[in-house]
Amino acid sequence: MTTIRLFFHIFVGLLAVFSGYIVVSTPSRAKLPVVPESSPTKAIPSWLFVKPRLLLNKLFRSGVRATTSPKDHVMELATSYFQSEVVYMLAQHKIFDSVGEKPRTCQQVAESLALKAHVVCEFMKAGYQLGLFSVAQDGYYSPTMSGKLLQTGSSLRDESLFINEETRHAWRAAGTKSAKTGKSGWEEAFGEDHLAWYEKHRDKSDLFERARMSIAESEAGTILSDWTPPRQDGVFCDIGGGAGETLAHVLDHYPKMTGIVMDKTYKTLDAMQLFQAKALTAKAKFLGGFFFAPTLPKVLSECDVFFLKHVLDDFDDETSSMILEKIKAVAKSGAKLAIAENVQGIGFLELSKALSSVNLIASRDYGARERSTDEYKRLLTNADYKNKPVITSLRDKLSIIEVDV
């Protein structure tokens, strides 16, 4: 009895220490002036839930790695694309939609979709093993929470389809050719950069845009939840911000702000339609332009914060420094720069960041990659930024690097 009591007290003590660490080390949530009903922040779980989950996930993954033989580990890696092909097939044929309406057997799903039962059933069995379905004793399938995310209209379906179409060819080209030629995987696979290719393949560009929008919505939720802009009544300028999705979310939550989004001119119509739909035309404007002009437009001297999300990681160091120099040249005194990217070496999800960096080699200009804190500091120093940056790790892969311009 004494031994049991001792172990109990040790367990309680360790739990108290762990809980105290979580509370003390957890960042405070941003205090938003307004939280609209449709706010993406509502889908973001509390840090008090996220941090223990990530720590435990890391611990359990380490345990699985330690108890997996080297042979099995290598074979799991070599065949990991089998899993993504299962996800692609089930999502592409809308099988998650079919069993989402009501539980069905795999034979019923195949019949309703005019597919071969032999193939559908084997893929659904694999989907069950991957945690995408639950199966009743009578063989009726239902989607799990993960499976529901792959239904039509859900957040990850478009992204999962996009990743497993042209991008997979760019990955293979990056691994087999880019290391020898110094060209991106996409250029090796398709003969031109990804933006030029999508301009010629409008049927594919629609999926690309939907996937991009899905990612942007999720990232906006974490940015708004964990980062507070320098001023709540300033001018927020999203440089390379697409059609203004992030800017629109920021203005929705900070009603005293105004904003500018700058990107290529072909985004103009999409931006204007978005601002009209969200009643932001008096507060937000689109500015056609790009980083490679000799100078940035003088209107950007109004900006209180220059926001760059997934911009520098698309380019090599020389180009990234050039972009930072142009922002510094146009910025007014007291303006700040905020860079939102997957900073390596801080926070969590390091494997995901490492794979994301390889994905940039495959699908962006040659030299693109994720960077560490020291590498971002070198970029800022090379662009003559004198002040020390402040880095905030968000509750997903993103971090914010903020510095006085």
Side-chain angles (χ1 to χ4, degrees), residues 34 74 95-96 187 229 248 281 351 376:
V34 174
V74 170
I95 289 175
F96 296 106
E187 189 175 358
T281 52
L351 172 59
Y376 279 107

Side-chain angles (χ1 to χ4, degrees), residues 8-217:
F8 174 75
H9 286 304
I10 291 173
F11 173 76
V12 171
L14 291 173
L15 183 61
V17 170
F18 178 74
S19 300
Y21 163 74
I22 294 298
V23 171
V24 170
S25 63
T26 294
S28 58
R29 192 179 182 96
K31 294 179 174 59
L32 297 165
V34 174
V35 180
E37 187 61 34
S38 60
S39 172
T41 63
K42 294 186 176 183
I44 306 301
S46 166
W47 260 116
L48 292 175
F49 169 77
V50 171
K51 199 159 192 177
R53 177 176 62 81
L54 291 173
L55 287 169
L56 290 171
N57 182 271
K58 186 175 182 179
L59 175 65
F60 292 147
R61 283 178 179 269
S62 298
V64 170
R65 178 72 58 83
T67 55
T68 301
S69 72
K71 177 184 176 182
D72 289 343
H73 181 212
V74 170
M75 288 308 301
E76 286 175 5
L77 295 176
T79 60
S80 59
Y81 78 94
F82 291 5
Q83 299 181 32
S84 62
E85 287 297 326
V86 170
V87 172
Y88 181 83
M89 183 274 188
L90 297 172
Q92 201 270 342
H93 287 293
K94 300 184 179 181
I95 289 175
F96 296 106
D97 296 9
S98 178
V99 296
E101 299 167 359
K102 63 179 181 179
R104 291 181 175 181
T105 65
C106 61
Q107 291 86 358
Q108 291 171 337
V109 170
E111 183 178 359
S112 69
L113 297 175
L115 300 173
K116 300 296 184 181
H118 170 65
V119 177
V120 170
C121 288
E122 295 307 312
F123 270 83
M124 290 183 71
K125 288 177 187 177
Y128 165 71
Q129 294 296 332
L130 291 174
L132 301 174
F133 299 113
S134 60
V135 186
Q137 288 186 343
D138 55 3
Y140 279 76
Y141 285 78
S142 299
T144 61
M145 292 298 293
S146 297
K148 289 177 180 178
L149 292 176
L150 293 163
Q151 292 175 335
T152 302
S154 297
S155 60
L156 292 180
R157 181 176 184 271
D158 290 329
E159 187 178 351
S160 298
L161 292 176
F162 166 72
I163 288 170
N164 285 285
E165 293 193 354
E166 285 71 31
T167 302
R168 65 191 178 95
H169 299 298
W171 266 72
R172 177 56 61 87
T176 57
K177 298 180 180 180
S178 295
K180 300 176 181 179
T181 65
K183 296 180 181 180
S184 73
W186 197 281
E187 189 175 358
E188 287 290 354
F190 300 105
E192 56 190 339
D193 68 63
H194 72 290
L195 293 177
W197 189 88
Y198 279 116
E199 278 293 303
K200 297 175 182 176
H201 299 82
R202 301 305 301 177
D203 57 323
K204 297 292 186 179
S205 68
D206 289 342
L207 177 61
F208 172 66
E209 283 299 313
R210 292 199 306 272
R212 188 186 63 80
M213 290 284 288
S214 172
I215 297 169
E217 179 83 5

